[in-house]
Amino acid sequence: MFGLSELAIILIVVAAVLAVKKLPELTRSAGKSARILKSEARAARDADEPGTPRVIQGETVEREDPGTGTGTGRRG
């Protein structure tokens, strides 16, 4: 007859075999949840510091002749 330890080992093996099919889905879901949690924590931290300026990445555009407003460098 089976003892308690043998029965526990059998149940663990059966659960592992059944869980293998769901493992990729579970890890994908855990990764998505971690990314959401991280972004929400970052947003909450940024909201707590209202005095800090936000830097928005972009590119600098230089005009040839700033007086015309057209940026072509030619007048008239």
Side-chain angles (χ1 to χ4, degrees), residues 21-36:
K21 293 179 182 178
K22 295 285 185 176
L23 191 61
E25 182 180 331
L26 290 173
T27 55
R28 193 176 306 120
S29 175
K32 185 184 285 188
S33 298
R35 283 191 299 272
I36 291 171

Side-chain angles (χ1 to χ4, degrees), residues 46 49-57:
D46 291 344
E49 301 172 3
T52 57
R54 292 182 57 189
V55 177
I56 300 173
Q57 297 294 328

Side-chain angles (χ1 to χ4, degrees), residues 3-72:
L4 187 59
S5 61
E6 290 89 4
L7 188 60
I9 290 173
I10 291 172
L11 287 175
I12 290 172
V13 169
V14 169
V17 168
L18 295 176
V20 168
K21 293 179 182 178
K22 295 285 185 176
L23 191 61
E25 182 180 331
L26 290 173
T27 55
R28 193 176 306 120
S29 175
K32 185 184 285 188
S33 298
R35 283 191 299 272
I36 291 171
L37 181 64
K38 187 177 179 180
S39 67
E40 290 294 327
R42 187 180 306 126
R45 185 181 64 234
D46 291 344
D48 290 342
E49 301 172 3
T52 57
R54 292 182 57 189
V55 177
I56 300 173
Q57 297 294 328
E59 62 183 61
T60 303
V61 178
E62 295 182 20
R63 295 183 179 177
E64 293 178 19
D65 187 9
T68 61
T70 62
T72 60

